[in-house]
Amino acid sequence: LYICIMDLKQVSRKLSKILRHDPTPLYMDSHGWIMSDEIILHFGISLTDLAEIVDTNDKQRFRFNDDRSKICANQGHKKGLVPDKTLAQITATQKDFILYHGTDADAAKKIKDSHIHAGNREYVNWTTNLELATKRANQKAGWNNSTPVLISLHVKQYLNNKGKLYLSDNNVYNTPNVPAKLLNFSDL
């Protein structure tokens, strides 16, 4: 049992780790749900606090079930953690649109040689929000003392090449590996 008074931002970070990467010591079902009461007890917070974390998370990482008895992460799970979680699949689009992924020059160099891959996560995450992808690229470049790079993907071309595209409940687009030949790279 872990009870500690901490600010909700700290709880949100730790909750992200639990729901997306490692639920230990809590029980997570194969769809990624954990009982809200377990989270409340684990962090020593109230349901109101937990609801505030869910409602104010800038990336909308979490959601409750209808009666708020369970909580899960919308996307970004460690590979194999939630084998039965399903995302809405997009199989065709009338109008082309562009997805963005922010990274740094070191990672982009490796991607250009082969493909972008999810690493230890279930999927590669993409956004239609250029500002958000740019923020992520700058963040990653700062961590790695590198140059920010924006990777873009034309959805119609990707789907026409038998690509698989999924949309999470928080409007994050997700793909498995994408070959470099379908990607565009821009230094920021």
Side-chain angles (χ1 to χ4, degrees):
L1 181 64
Y2 171 65
I3 298 178
C4 178
I5 304 298
M6 58 178 89
D7 71 42
L8 295 185
K9 196 169 205 163
Q10 288 176 305
V11 173
S12 180
R13 285 190 194 109
K14 291 177 184 292
L15 182 61
S16 183
K17 182 177 187 269
I18 286 172
L19 292 174
R20 297 170 70 215
H21 305 288
D22 182 9
T24 307
L26 306 177
Y27 171 75
M28 175 184 283
D29 72 19
S30 63
H31 297 275
W33 294 100
I34 293 180
M35 297 301 294
S36 296
D37 287 346
E38 286 189 51
I39 297 291
I40 289 165
L41 187 60
H42 183 74
F43 289 112
I45 60 174
S46 67
L47 181 58
T48 302
D49 292 335
L50 189 56
E52 184 176 335
I53 290 168
V54 171
D55 294 342
T56 60
N57 185 271
D58 62 339
K59 294 183 180 179
Q60 299 177 324
R61 289 193 195 273
F62 321 114
R63 71 182 171 96
F64 286 113
N65 66 345
D66 290 339
D67 67 1
R68 294 186 169 199
S69 64
K70 297 179 183 179
I71 187 171
C72 72
N74 284 313
Q75 46 68 228
H77 297 91
K78 181 174 99 175
K79 196 174 284 181
L81 183 65
V82 288
D84 296 326
K85 185 169 182 77
T86 56
L87 299 176
Q89 185 171 5
I90 299 169
T91 56
T93 181
Q94 294 291 326
K95 186 177 176 188
D96 192 20
F97 60 99
I98 299 173
L99 296 175
Y100 302 100
H101 180 88
T103 192
D104 65 37
D106 297 334
K109 184 179 182 315
K110 293 174 188 170
I111 293 166
K112 285 178 186 177
D113 290 339
S114 177
H115 61 274
I116 189 169
H117 63 91
N120 65 350
R121 296 201 183 177
E122 205 64 45
Y123 298 106
V124 178
N125 299 149
W126 301 84
T127 182
T128 55
N129 184 326
L130 181 59
E131 184 179 325
L132 182 63
T134 301
K135 179 181 174 183
R136 175 68 174 129
N138 286 321
Q139 183 182 47
K140 189 159 185 203
W143 292 336
N144 297 325
N145 198 23
S146 184
T147 305
V149 175
L150 200 61
I151 301 174
S152 59
L153 173 66
H154 286 268
V155 171
K156 200 165 195 170
Q157 177 189 18
Y158 175 65
L159 292 174
N160 288 341
N161 279 276
K162 300 186 184 343
K164 294 189 181 203
L165 181 63
Y166 304 93
L167 184 62
S168 65
D169 290 331
N170 60 337
N171 292 316
V172 173
Y173 291 86
N174 301 273
T175 63
N177 299 347
V178 179
K181 68 181 182 179
L182 297 176
L183 305 172
N184 298 302
F185 298 82
S186 304
D187 291 344
L188 298 177

